[in-house]
Amino acid sequence: MSFATTLLRQTLQPLAGVFGDGMTADQTGPQFTCKEADEIALALYVTGHEEAAVTWLTGHATGEDWEDTHAHPYDEQQGDHDREAPRVFTEDEIREYLREESKDYLDALLMIAKS
């Protein structure tokens, strides 16, 4: 790990502590839009704070509606027509989502690390 990425990780450590707190994530996460929640989670994820990122998005997802990013789309074959709320992403699905969404961020960090 380069000095720049180590410094970035240490700089975001206090925010990882705040957003990665389960109570904070559960109580405030649903108040953020999916885009806002993603930006926070991705910043944490790419700087090595994976658990904080997952906790944050897990809390955010508790408030998802059917059309939101972190919920499965309506699927009548799954019996969703009887459900009052969508099936939100599991922690494993959130980890996979973060892996996919972070590719551009990771490429940018790699360029920083090489400089």
Side-chain angles (χ1 to χ4, degrees):
M1 190 178 299
S2 75
F3 175 73
T5 54
T6 300
L7 183 60
L8 190 55
R9 177 178 166 76
Q10 290 174 347
T11 300
L12 290 182
Q13 182 63 45
L15 288 178
V18 171
F19 289 107
D21 177 76
M23 185 177 288
T24 300
D26 288 346
Q27 292 181 0
T28 63
Q31 306 308 312
F32 285 73
T33 67
C34 290
K35 176 81 171 134
E36 294 166 342
D38 277 357
E39 292 299 329
I40 293 166
L42 288 167
L44 296 173
Y45 183 80
V46 301
T47 57
H49 303 287
E50 181 176 341
E51 290 307 313
V54 170
T55 298
W56 170 248
L57 276 188
T58 300
H60 162 75
T62 62
E64 295 294 80
D65 290 324
W66 289 101
E67 70 278 358
D68 287 340
T69 303
H70 311 105
H72 295 283
Y74 175 82
D75 184 350
E76 191 169 336
Q77 291 180 348
Q78 293 286 332
D80 290 344
H81 62 285
D82 291 337
R83 296 173 60 92
E84 293 180 19
R87 293 174 288 117
V88 296
F89 286 5
T90 65
E91 284 191 17
D92 287 340
E93 290 170 325
I94 287 174
R95 286 179 202 286
E96 179 60 30
Y97 176 78
L98 287 169
R99 267 191 291 280
E100 287 298 314
E101 293 296 311
S102 69
K103 288 179 181 176
D104 290 338
Y105 287 84
L106 291 172
D107 289 342
L109 275 181
L110 194 59
M111 290 172 51
I112 291 169
K114 290 179 180 180
S115 62

